Amino acid sequence: MTDAAPSAQNTRTASYLAEPGEVNRVLLLYSGGLDTSVMLKWIQDEYDAEVVALTINLGQPGEDYDVVKGKALQLGAVAAEVVDARDEFATDFILPAIKANAIYGLAYPLFTALGRPLIAKLAVEYARKHGCDTVAHGCTGKGNDQVRIEATVATLAPELKVIAPVRGWMMGREEEIAYARQHGIPIKGGAETTPYSIDDNLWGRSSEGKWIEHLDHAPDDDVFQLVTRPELAPDEAEIVTIGFEQSVPVSINGERLGLVELITRCQDLGIKHGVGIVDHIEDRIVGLKVRDIYEVPAATLILQAHAELERLVCTIHQNQFKGELDRKWAYLVYAGLWWEPLRTDLDAYMNEVSKQVTGEIGLKLYKGHCRVVTRSSPNAVYDAQLATFETSGGLFSQQASPGFIELWSLQSRLAHRLRERSAE
């Protein structure tokens, strides 16, 4: 790599993208990692701009935020802010996802997709606070996060411009490391030898890169840095009971907890028993199919328990209809459209259904498996007397069944006969 940094591209392809002459003070979404540390220096040199660093705590494990802030100031940031957004993330983003049983592609519980609109919303707030004209992020041009962040900024703050250096500078990982060494930029966590691209928060962790891109390669053990590998999990199963009040998880084994603490406790339980490992082929909104390795212990426990409790208290018609809305809700969030009015319209229905979703679900955790074993709710659309084969309760007479069957099957029987007649 040469001493000269790559020059910024000057072709504007969207109205919110910044041209070099428009950039004076930049709000940089700063993690302290390799990409954003290189960006902090590169933006100062390439744009001759001041940089304000914003670091957001969404529950990433193992972070020392004082160190991250100090590093940003050391690299020339005119200000560095660290925001603890865990409560807001849990209450305003994870909780609506729980109510919507939010899963994309049958496997991904949207932890990154839920975090990005909050990160971008806070970027807008702090950009305005510090008089910034531009927001910078470290997303690539191949992923969904660029959509989620830029769509949020363009929606909430049309006056702000955006730059995405990683998308345009064409530096690979080795070039970034060389640039960091050349400019005296400390590399977080020995990034030279770290083989995976990691993203994590309170709701889960993702790994990309290295062998993960090769579909015929089974997972290497070193990728699992959060969840215990199932074969190493305890030999004794554990029953965990999660209590809900109107879809809000409020207790574990009868102990009432705040939402962030409850999610963290569920995460610890899932980690212990090897629960929440997902090896997933995913359709990204930018048109790619990708393979991701997810570790989602808390989401696995809570979403499975909530969905089971919801099935217990809702009618067959509610359950069938809401499943369709859940999938639409998840797609909108995955696709970066958190601020789409349809999502908030769907929230209104989710909140209405949630009024009945109170009760407890028992889960059995054992070596990577999470299975519902007990259910209870004062609102259960279930009558043990009606369900048994030995008796018939007052709400239901078994003798009425034949008349129902004759009417229920009438159209199907007639249609079948007509098809048989036409085939003769």
Side-chain angles (χ1 to χ4, degrees):
M1 178 179 169
T2 62
D3 290 347
S7 58
Q9 296 184 6
N10 296 328
T11 302
R12 197 198 306 264
T13 57
S15 61
Y16 60 80
L17 292 181
E19 298 286 0
E22 300 172 328
V23 178
N24 295 297
R25 175 172 281 205
V26 178
L27 188 288
L28 170 64
L29 289 167
Y30 183 69
S31 69
L34 178 63
D35 287 345
T36 56
S37 294
V38 170
M39 285 170 57
L40 203 162
K41 171 64 175 171
W42 186 84
I43 290 169
Q44 294 174 74
D45 293 344
E46 184 67 26
Y47 289 94
D48 191 25
E50 296 179 331
V51 178
V52 175
L54 175 64
T55 304
I56 300 170
N57 177 6
L58 295 184
Q60 303 92 311
E63 290 285 0
D64 187 329
Y65 291 102
D66 289 336
V67 170
V68 173
K69 180 176 181 178
K71 183 177 178 180
L73 295 172
Q74 176 189 343
L75 294 175
V78 297
E81 299 263 17
V82 175
V83 178
D84 187 344
R86 287 175 293 177
D87 286 329
E88 184 176 2
F89 183 43
T91 302
D92 294 347
F93 293 81
I94 294 177
L95 184 55
I98 293 170
K99 292 179 179 180
N101 302 307
I103 296 285
Y104 176 74
L106 304 178
Y108 171 44
L110 299 176
F111 59 90
T112 299
L114 290 166
R116 293 302 186 251
L118 173 55
I119 289 171
K121 169 180 169 287
L122 291 169
V124 167
E125 293 177 8
Y126 280 82
R128 287 170 170 167
K129 173 183 174 181
H130 286 276
C132 298
D133 49 65
T134 304
V135 170
H137 63 78
C139 303
T140 72
K142 297 191 294 184
N144 299 317
D145 288 339
Q146 57 179 335
V147 182
R148 297 161 182 157
I149 289 175
E150 293 178 20
T152 293
V153 173
T155 299
L156 301 184
E159 77 278 9
L160 293 177
K161 300 298 182 181
V162 172
I163 57 175
V166 175
R167 190 167 59 196
W169 66 19
M170 303 304 292
M171 276 197 280
R173 191 170 186 80
E174 291 183 3
E175 288 82 7
E176 287 185 9
I177 291 170
Y179 183 92
R181 288 172 173 164
Q182 177 186 342
H183 292 88
I185 300 171
I187 298 175
K188 173 185 173 184
E192 296 96 330
T193 60
T194 301
Y196 305 108
S197 175
I198 304 297
D199 188 77
D200 50 16
N201 61 39
L202 194 63
W203 203 227
R205 169 190 169 98
S206 69
S207 300
E208 296 179 340
K210 201 184 175 185
W211 55 262
I212 297 173
E213 298 169 354
H214 303 287
L215 301 186
D216 60 351
H217 195 299
D220 289 342
D221 291 344
D222 67 346
V223 75
F224 302 114
Q225 297 297 313
L226 182 64
V227 174
T228 302
R229 285 185 286 129
E231 60 268 28
L232 301 179
D235 293 330
E236 296 293 327
E238 183 174 357
I239 304 295
V240 176
T241 301
I242 302 178
F244 295 84
E245 292 179 358
Q246 297 189 3
S247 284
V248 181
V250 295
S251 66
I252 296 179
N253 297 332
E255 179 185 358
R256 293 188 69 88
L257 301 166
L259 187 54
V260 171
E261 186 179 2
L262 185 143
I263 292 171
T264 302
R265 189 81 62 87
C266 284
Q267 183 183 57
D268 292 341
L269 288 164
I271 289 171
K272 173 183 175 183
H273 290 280
V275 171
I277 294 174
V278 177
D279 188 334
H280 190 223
I281 298 297
E282 191 170 293
D283 290 304
R284 285 186 175 170
I285 55 176
V286 295
L288 302 174
K289 279 190 186 291
V290 296
R291 181 190 187 189
D292 283 296
I293 301 293
Y294 296 129
E295 297 173 81
V296 286
T300 298
L301 269 64
I302 294 171
L303 289 177
Q304 186 168 344
H306 178 266
E308 186 70 17
L309 182 59
E310 192 175 80
R311 280 191 290 270
L312 181 64
V313 305
C314 290
T315 68
I316 183 175
H317 308 293
Q318 288 175 303
N319 284 328
Q320 290 179 349
F321 181 63
K322 187 171 183 295
E324 297 176 10
L325 301 188
D326 289 347
R327 285 187 289 275
K328 185 64 177 180
W329 193 98
Y331 175 75
L332 290 173
V333 175
Y334 181 83
L337 298 177
W338 178 265
W339 311 100
E340 160 62 41
L342 177 58
R343 186 198 60 79
T344 55
D345 294 343
L346 292 175
D347 278 346
Y349 180 77
M350 309 302 181
N351 289 332
E352 187 64 28
V353 172
S354 291
K355 291 178 180 178
Q356 299 300 310
V357 186
T358 294
E360 292 186 332
I361 297 294
L363 303 170
K364 186 174 185 178
L365 311 181
Y366 180 67
K367 289 190 177 296
H369 297 283
C370 176
R371 177 166 59 91
V372 174
V373 291
T374 62
R375 308 153 178 85
S376 67
S377 172
N379 303 323
V381 184
Y382 178 88
D383 188 310
Q385 186 179 18
L386 293 179
T388 183
F389 286 104
E390 282 77 28
T391 62
S392 181
L395 294 177
F396 174 66
S397 170
Q398 295 187 37
Q399 300 305 314
S401 293
F404 163 76
I405 294 168
E406 183 168 34
L407 293 174
W408 175 249
S409 64
L410 177 60
Q411 285 193 13
S412 297
R413 289 186 286 117
L414 289 173
H416 177 72
R417 290 171 187 170
L418 287 169
R419 288 192 179 191
E420 282 195 325
R421 185 183 306 166
S422 63
E424 290 177 355

